Amino acid sequence: MHEGGSLLGENPGSALSGNQHKAISINYGETRRASNKKDPEGLLLGWDTAGIVEDVGARVTNVKPGDRVVSRNVLGGWAQYRVAHAQDVAIIPETVSFGEASTLPTAAVTAYLVFQRFGALLGKRVLITGASGGVGRFAIQLAKLGGATVVGSVGSDRYVDELKALGADEIVIGAQNVTGRVDRVLESVGGEELFNAFQALDDGGLLQTIGGASGLPTTFPAGSLLGDRTRTIVPHRSTEHRYARPLAELLQLVAARKIDLGIKWTGDWSQYDEAAELLLNRKLAGKAVLEVA
């Protein structure tokens, strides 16, 4: 684990450590990147991992060898060992499994950081697009815990009951069907969905975009930005944040069983192709966890 600077650091002997992986959670984004096969040969992908600390650098004080931890990096997770920034690592409570912890770093922390930027949610009406996806499912639960009225937008009615069970007050098929105004939007789809979600914002409303799962461009027709409402689109910049604190707080919610992690598939790391196929073909609404021996 590295306390700061680049992934490899300037002084590997004193500032780095490694984790022995026990579980890996895979996400749609990294899996799609792997399927495109455009990266240089030998580049190791992988974001979300949980395991045991093998060693730490001289300046690392928040973890020690033998600790059960969860971590996130932009690369290197799909392996038996990885190097991680110390500030991107959190200790896993004894009541939380490696597999459970591995689901948090990308999807749950993304939702956490969006709502942190939004501020207090109590009494707010929050729209979450792509609500059946990994981030969306965590976002529904965190917004509800924050006291918001939650509106989820999805592409079909397949998961309506499931998302309402997670805490959504309303589910619409596409943001164009939102009735009334919303105060905040977590937007992950892009294309026309982004435009329609923006149109649903009330005066003073904020929309934070975290991606564009649709792969489609967003067009704002002439005149659509005129009127008496002040609305703001905020980009999501995860590289500005460290993960240790969000992970620690989310792990406490998991330990208290206040969050449904939505693990829908678990298997050995050798079954990656099976899990990836489910994710890439949108056959898995939830998290997939690979166990590492």
Side-chain angles (χ1 to χ4, degrees), residues 141-195:
Q141 297 176 80
L142 292 176
K144 196 64 179 177
L145 286 172
T149 297
V150 182
V151 182
S153 176
V154 294
S156 74
D157 60 4
R158 181 179 178 184
Y159 301 108
V160 170
D161 292 340
E162 189 175 346
L163 298 180
K164 285 189 174 181
L166 291 178
D169 296 284
E170 306 170 45
I171 298 293
V172 296
I173 310 302
Q176 72 276 12
N177 291 313
V178 173
T179 57
R181 301 296 186 194
V182 299
D183 304 294
R184 303 287 185 266
V185 178
L186 188 159
E187 210 294 304
S188 63
V189 179
E192 189 176 359
E193 183 77 346
L194 169 54
F195 170 72

Side-chain angles (χ1 to χ4, degrees), residues 154-260:
V154 294
S156 74
D157 60 4
R158 181 179 178 184
Y159 301 108
V160 170
D161 292 340
E162 189 175 346
L163 298 180
K164 285 189 174 181
L166 291 178
D169 296 284
E170 306 170 45
I171 298 293
V172 296
I173 310 302
Q176 72 276 12
N177 291 313
V178 173
T179 57
R181 301 296 186 194
V182 299
D183 304 294
R184 303 287 185 266
V185 178
L186 188 159
E187 210 294 304
S188 63
V189 179
E192 189 176 359
E193 183 77 346
L194 169 54
F195 170 72
N196 289 328
F198 182 78
Q199 290 297 89
L201 276 174
D202 204 350
D203 186 38
L206 297 177
L207 180 153
Q208 186 155 344
T209 175
I210 63 168
S214 69
L216 300 173
T218 302
T219 300
F220 287 79
S224 62
L225 300 180
L226 301 177
D228 57 1
R229 283 178 287 157
T230 300
R231 298 160 288 171
T232 304
I233 295 179
V234 182
H236 179 66
R237 293 173 287 189
S238 60
T239 55
E240 293 182 349
H241 304 276
R242 297 262 65 100
Y243 280 70
R245 180 177 176 181
L247 282 171
E249 294 190 12
L250 288 164
L251 284 165
Q252 291 304 311
L253 292 175
V254 175
R257 302 302 165 188
K258 293 184 177 181
I259 294 181
D260 181 342

Side-chain angles (χ1 to χ4, degrees), residues 41-285:
E41 185 176 354
L43 181 69
L44 191 61
L45 301 178
W47 300 338
D48 301 345
T49 60
I52 299 172
V53 178
E54 287 286 303
D55 194 15
V56 299
R59 294 174 291 166
V60 175
T61 59
N62 60 318
V63 293
K64 63 184 184 301
D67 282 345
R68 302 168 70 249
V69 297
V70 59
S71 66
R72 187 189 191 279
N73 262 344
V74 293
L75 294 170
W78 294 349
Q80 288 180 293
Y81 294 87
R82 91 178 315 170
V83 173
H85 289 271
Q87 294 173 352
D88 289 334
V89 174
I91 295 176
I92 303 171
E94 288 299 323
T95 57
V96 178
S97 71
F98 288 115
E100 289 173 326
S102 74
T103 65
L104 297 174
T106 293
V109 171
T110 296
Y112 174 101
L113 293 175
V114 169
F115 294 143
Q116 185 178 60
R117 189 162 190 178
F118 282 166
L121 297 179
L122 182 63
K124 302 290 187 183
R125 191 168 186 235
V126 176
L127 171 63
I128 298 163
T129 68
S132 62
V135 176
R137 287 167 178 259
F138 282 117
I140 287 172
Q141 297 176 80
L142 292 176
K144 196 64 179 177
L145 286 172
T149 297
V150 182
V151 182
S153 176
V154 294
S156 74
D157 60 4
R158 181 179 178 184
Y159 301 108
V160 170
D161 292 340
E162 189 175 346
L163 298 180
K164 285 189 174 181
L166 291 178
D169 296 284
E170 306 170 45
I171 298 293
V172 296
I173 310 302
Q176 72 276 12
N177 291 313
V178 173
T179 57
R181 301 296 186 194
V182 299
D183 304 294
R184 303 287 185 266
V185 178
L186 188 159
E187 210 294 304
S188 63
V189 179
E192 189 176 359
E193 183 77 346
L194 169 54
F195 170 72
N196 289 328
F198 182 78
Q199 290 297 89
L201 276 174
D202 204 350
D203 186 38
L206 297 177
L207 180 153
Q208 186 155 344
T209 175
I210 63 168
S214 69
L216 300 173
T218 302
T219 300
F220 287 79
S224 62
L225 300 180
L226 301 177
D228 57 1
R229 283 178 287 157
T230 300
R231 298 160 288 171
T232 304
I233 295 179
V234 182
H236 179 66
R237 293 173 287 189
S238 60
T239 55
E240 293 182 349
H241 304 276
R242 297 262 65 100
Y243 280 70
R245 180 177 176 181
L247 282 171
E249 294 190 12
L250 288 164
L251 284 165
Q252 291 304 311
L253 292 175
V254 175
R257 302 302 165 188
K258 293 184 177 181
I259 294 181
D260 181 342
L261 298 172
I263 298 175
K264 299 298 179 66
W265 186 97
T266 302
D268 185 75
W269 66 270
S270 62
Q271 297 173 274
Y272 167 82
D273 287 345
E274 178 183 338
E277 189 273 335
L278 293 172
L279 281 175
L280 292 174
N281 290 287
R282 304 293 191 182
K283 296 178 180 178
L284 183 69

Side-chain angles (χ1 to χ4, degrees), residues 1-4 9-12 14-16 56-62 86:
M1 292 153 201
H2 184 260
E3 288 191 308
E10 297 178 358
N11 186 357
S14 65
L16 294 177
V56 299
R59 294 174 291 166
V60 175
T61 59
N62 60 318

